[in-house]
Amino acid sequence: MPTHAEQRHLPYTPEQLFDLVADVEQYPRFLPWCRGCRITRREGNVFYADLVIGYKMIRESFGSRVTALRPDHIHVEYLSGPMKHLSNHWRFLREDDGTCTIDFYVEFEFRNPLLQNLINVFFNEAVKRMVSAFEERAQALYGDSGV
């Protein structure tokens, strides 16, 4: 099962980055391959979201449960769709100067072997591109420095 973990230090506060990641309904505006998103239910710090991802002729949707513990942790659990498994977390670690180090982790496996083989080829590059999209979105929202 493919996994990806990385840390990035960014010149923004944990609260700013938390808000950016938690605002899943904005993902289609900046996240590669995200074609649509909607929140279906909210229960305190937990919400349920349906995400549509697509690339060329492939389009899949999946449901997830998102636990958002402001300001330092977001955890995504897979509920339904084309995957066997999905686990994703974001941790926002405050540095002494007020900036933030993001600790990002994702692992997933598609049910469809053809789709899984396709993603295996591009997985690390695709995830790096997605994390970079969040960084670029932060810069667009908060400028060169949010602190």
Side-chain angles (χ1 to χ4, degrees):
M1 174 177 346
T3 63
H4 180 86
E6 80 175 85
Q7 289 190 339
R8 286 201 190 180
H9 179 257
L10 298 175
Y12 308 103
T13 67
E15 292 82 4
Q16 288 172 314
L17 294 171
F18 177 95
D19 290 344
L20 186 156
V21 173
D23 192 7
V24 298
E25 291 176 308
Q26 296 301 313
Y27 285 10
R29 291 182 175 210
F30 70 92
L31 193 59
W33 311 293
C34 184
R35 302 296 178 235
C37 181
R38 71 183 176 98
I39 305 282
T40 59
R41 187 169 82 221
R42 291 185 186 273
E43 298 172 352
N45 62 352
V46 174
F47 61 89
Y48 297 82
D50 290 337
L51 212 64
V52 178
I53 54 172
Y55 180 74
K56 296 189 180 188
M57 301 300 291
I58 299 170
R59 189 173 293 254
E60 296 284 352
S61 63
F62 67 93
S64 60
R65 175 186 170 172
V66 180
T67 303
L69 302 172
R70 193 170 205 277
D72 59 5
H73 186 213
I74 295 175
H75 182 74
V76 180
E77 298 171 75
Y78 175 72
L79 296 177
S80 63
M83 297 177 199
K84 281 185 185 178
H85 173 77
L86 167 72
S87 181
N88 169 226
H89 80 244
W90 296 81
R91 288 196 167 82
F92 308 95
L93 311 169
R94 185 179 309 276
E95 300 298 338
D96 291 340
D97 63 357
T99 61
C100 182
T101 297
I102 295 174
D103 178 22
F104 174 79
Y105 176 81
V106 64
E107 67 179 15
F108 67 89
E109 183 176 8
F110 281 99
R111 282 189 176 92
N112 180 323
L114 178 63
L115 201 51
Q116 186 62 43
N117 287 336
L118 179 64
I119 198 67
N120 284 345
V121 173
F122 303 106
F123 178 75
N124 283 329
E125 191 57 40
V127 174
K128 285 180 185 178
R129 187 168 166 201
M130 289 170 31
V131 173
S132 291
F134 282 98
E135 186 174 352
E136 291 166 12
R137 178 70 171 174
Q139 186 173 21
L141 291 175
Y142 309 125
D144 290 331
S145 175
V147 177

